[in-house]
Amino acid sequence: MKKKNIQPIEKTKARIRSKVKGTNTKPRLSVFRSNQHIYAQIIDDTIGKTIVSSSTLDKEVRASIESSSPCEASKIVGKSIAKKSLENKIDAVVFDRGGRLYHGRIQALADAAREEGLKF
């Protein structure tokens, strides 16, 4: 029987996830990027619960997107997730880029979250 090939992105994601763990004092900021949308979640891995989430599908984020540029949408999602996390008294997180390169939309989201006061 042949083994099923694991995609490189899944391999990278598993390697990163084994090293990056979120705690209740410093949860994990997980980013997922599809072709059309970007999703961000702040997760406490000790209890396996999502504390805060934001994406380009949220009503308030969708209303504030003016440009068709995906990087601009990522910046808005980054600002949104930072504001929501600071409201929940979370100011420091561990960044999980989800197996993707720290470039483009992932970097735009991270930089916008840092500008709003989130530390990682």
Side-chain angles (χ1 to χ4, degrees):
M1 245 168 96
K2 276 188 167 182
K3 282 188 176 179
K4 194 173 186 180
N5 288 340
I6 298 173
Q7 297 296 324
I9 190 92
E10 296 297 325
K11 210 173 185 182
T12 307
K13 188 188 296 187
R15 186 175 61 243
I16 291 169
R17 193 70 46 85
S18 70
K19 297 174 187 173
V20 176
K21 298 284 184 207
T23 62
N24 56 359
T25 57
K26 201 168 184 182
R28 174 169 55 102
L29 172 59
S30 177
V31 178
F32 174 74
R33 177 183 69 87
S34 70
N35 287 338
Q36 293 180 335
H37 300 287
I38 192 156
Y39 308 84
Q41 294 181 334
I42 295 184
I43 304 166
D44 183 359
D45 287 324
T46 56
I47 57 175
K49 185 177 177 187
T50 299
I51 303 166
V52 177
S53 68
S54 182
S55 72
T56 51
L57 297 175
D58 291 346
K59 288 182 182 179
E60 64 271 359
V61 173
R62 192 182 284 181
S64 61
I65 294 174
E66 298 169 357
S67 173
S68 63
S69 169
C71 277
E72 293 299 321
S74 297
K75 287 178 186 176
I76 294 170
V77 171
K79 289 179 182 180
S80 171
I81 194 80
K83 286 177 185 175
K84 288 179 181 180
S85 67
L86 292 174
E87 287 172 4
N88 285 326
K89 298 177 182 159
I90 300 168
D91 60 345
V93 294
V94 179
F95 189 68
D96 176 12
R97 55 190 170 86
R100 304 284 183 172
L101 292 177
Y102 185 78
H103 186 272
R105 292 194 274 165
I106 305 290
Q107 184 178 4
L109 187 142
D111 290 343
R114 279 192 190 105
E115 286 174 9
E116 290 295 315
L118 203 58
K119 297 178 191 131
F120 53 94

